[in-house]
């Protein structure tokens, strides 16, 4: 199946855009919302440069989205974090520069949220002096819209030279008509996944993996089902240092770090997603793992620290802007 033919792609994209709301409208939006320049933030992992790229931010109404809590509890935790509902959530993409490979971890939202809500990845890449044609590999943490939809524009491949690596269970699930009918998961997720991946499948540019296995030199992909069946982490190891790209392990930092049992409506398997988050937060805190997350405030790189009452804290990476001689 291919969606690379323009009329079919345009029709499907139009149908999808009509069904997927942009950021929820609010009468009293956060006063600090403003346009920022596209750009990136670089860190060095051993001998490898990793750059966080912004795809923009979107407003999220946590009262509607979070499960296993109450609006009052959400507001109390947001107030402790100097935030209020709806919150601005980052869409971060990560560029990994390996010998012979320019790798993106996720691709942002592309067109699906409409103008002004995400879709700034190409602009951020250009700020690094890169074109979509320069990307050799894409590591999808999962096939949701704000991670995979940036793969296509008007049904065509945005990254024509890239191999897309993705957990096999996501491809199996989202391309399964029976699962679409009987799983109870919103049909929009299936439409977006198919729209995003089909042109690359048709071009034989998709590489799937299961369990835990190497996907590129120095990078291991590991499937952690819960948020989606094929949700994956990617761990980069270089010269004794590492970073783990964790996908949608967390969406709302102010709530889900202190209360990791709180889930979100986007989870295909809420119980599984909660279990993964609780186990991985504990492991990351114990092992002092450096992580990169797409929905934590840009650049989304830092550490998880054990907090109080079974909760955790987020410690962002220290900002540096100095050239060593």
């Amino acid at each position: 199946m291919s969606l690379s033919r323009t009329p079919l792609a345009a029709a499907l994209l139009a149908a999808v855009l009509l069904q997927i709301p942009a950021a929820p409208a609010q009468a009293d939006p956060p006063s600090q919302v403003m346009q920022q320049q596209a750009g990136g933030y670089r860190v060095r992992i051993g001998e490898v440069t990793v750059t966080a790229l912004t795809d923009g931010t979107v407003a999220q109404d946590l009262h509607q989205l979070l499960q296993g809590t109450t609006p009052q509890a959400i507001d109390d935790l947001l107030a402790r974090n100097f935030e209020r509902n709806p919150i601005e959530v980052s869409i971060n993409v990560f560029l990994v520069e390996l010998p012979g490979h320019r790798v993106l971890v996720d691709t942002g939202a592309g067109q699906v949220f409409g103008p002004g809500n995400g879709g700034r990845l190409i602009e951020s890449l250009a700020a690094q002096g890169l074109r979509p044609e320069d990307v050799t590999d894409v590591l999808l943490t999962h096939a949701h819209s704000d991670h995979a939809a940036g793969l296509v524009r008007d049904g065509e491949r945005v990254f024509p030279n890239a191999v897309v690596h993705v957990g096999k269970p996501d491809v199996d699930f989202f391309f399964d008509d029976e699962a679409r009918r009987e799983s109870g998961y919103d049909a929009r997720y299936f439409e977006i996944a198919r729209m995003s991946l089909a042109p690359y499948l048709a071009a034989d540019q998709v590489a799937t993996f299961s369990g835990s296995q190497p996907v590129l030199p120095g990078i291991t992909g590991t499937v952690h089902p819960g948020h989606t069946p094929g949700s994956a982490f990617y761990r980069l190891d270089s010269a004794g240092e590492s970073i783990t790209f964790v996908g949608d392990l967390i969406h709302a930092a102010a709530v889900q770090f202190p209360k990791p049992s709180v889930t979100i409506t986007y989870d295909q398997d809420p119980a599984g997603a909660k279990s993964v988050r609780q186990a991985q937060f504990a492991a990351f805190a114990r092992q002092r793992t450096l992580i990169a997350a797409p929905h934590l405030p840009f650049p989304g790189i830092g550490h998880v620290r054990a907090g109080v009452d079974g909760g955790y804290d987020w410690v962002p990476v220290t900002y540096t802007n100095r050239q060593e001689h």
Side-chain angles (χ1 to χ4, degrees):
M1 177 177 64
S2 173
L3 298 182
S4 60
R5 300 297 178 262
T6 301
L8 176 58
L12 179 54
L13 178 60
V16 169
L17 289 175
L18 286 173
Q19 295 182 65
I20 295 185
Q26 296 290 328
D28 187 21
S31 60
Q32 70 272 21
V33 172
M34 55 176 24
Q35 179 81 31
Q36 307 289 344
Q37 67 182 16
Y41 183 80
R42 295 175 178 170
V43 296
R44 194 76 174 171
I45 307 298
E47 299 176 348
V48 177
T49 298
V50 174
T51 307
L53 303 173
T54 178
D55 190 56
T57 65
V58 293
Q60 296 279 275
D61 186 341
L62 299 188
H63 292 171
Q64 295 181 7
L65 295 174
L66 295 185
Q67 301 176 330
T69 185
T70 66
Q72 186 60 58
I74 291 169
D75 289 343
D76 290 346
L77 288 170
L78 289 177
R80 289 182 62 228
N81 213 44
F82 303 96
E83 294 179 277
R84 57 193 169 93
N85 196 57
I87 65 168
E88 283 293 313
V89 173
S90 291
I91 305 175
N92 305 321
V93 175
F94 302 96
L95 170 69
V96 182
E97 299 183 74
L98 300 172
H101 297 270
R102 285 197 176 99
V103 184
L104 290 179
V105 182
D106 291 331
T107 63
Q111 298 170 286
V112 296
F113 292 154
N117 293 288
R120 301 188 66 193
L121 172 60
I122 304 307
E123 183 184 354
S124 291
L125 272 175
Q128 305 299 315
L130 297 175
R131 305 167 303 157
E133 294 83 358
D134 298 325
V135 175
T136 63
D137 299 87
V138 172
L139 308 180
L140 280 188
T141 60
H142 60 295
H144 276 170
S145 56
D146 49 336
H147 303 262
L151 284 168
V152 296
R153 184 172 185 85
D154 298 328
E156 301 289 342
R157 290 169 294 156
V158 170
F159 306 102
N161 300 318
V163 174
V164 179
H165 305 262
V166 59
K168 186 176 184 296
D170 259 21
V171 176
D172 292 344
F173 179 71
F174 287 114
F175 282 81
D176 184 340
D177 289 336
E178 184 176 353
R180 177 174 174 168
R181 289 191 303 267
E182 299 182 2
S183 67
Y185 205 42
D186 197 318
R188 293 174 294 182
Y189 297 122
F190 293 85
E191 293 163 359
I192 288 289
R194 295 180 186 198
M195 180 191 72
S196 303
L197 288 171
Y200 293 85
L201 286 165
D204 198 24
Q205 290 175 233
V206 174
T208 62
F209 63 93
S210 301
S212 181
Q213 64 184 72
V215 293
L216 287 170
I219 298 180
T220 300
T222 304
V223 174
H224 292 276
H227 184 60
T228 67
S231 285
F233 293 179
Y234 297 94
R235 175 176 168 129
L236 165 68
D237 288 281
S238 176
E241 298 181 346
S242 71
I243 188 170
T244 300
F245 303 92
V246 300
D248 279 3
L249 183 66
I250 183 169
H251 291 82
V255 178
Q256 290 179 296
F257 275 122
K259 302 293 182 183
S261 63
V262 173
T263 61
I264 195 164
T265 57
Y266 307 137
D267 294 330
Q268 187 269 328
D269 173 8
K274 176 176 70 174
S275 177
V276 170
R277 181 165 44 258
Q278 291 172 325
Q280 293 301 315
F281 277 3
F284 292 153
R286 184 175 63 253
Q287 298 166 8
R288 303 176 65 87
T289 304
L290 182 67
I291 70 169
H295 297 313
L296 295 181
F298 184 82
I301 300 173
H303 291 86
V304 179
R305 179 178 63 199
V308 298
D309 299 327
Y312 297 87
D313 301 315
W314 173 242
V315 184
V317 68
T318 300
Y319 177 80
T320 60
N321 187 9
R322 180 172 62 86
Q323 182 177 2
E324 289 189 315
H325 295 285

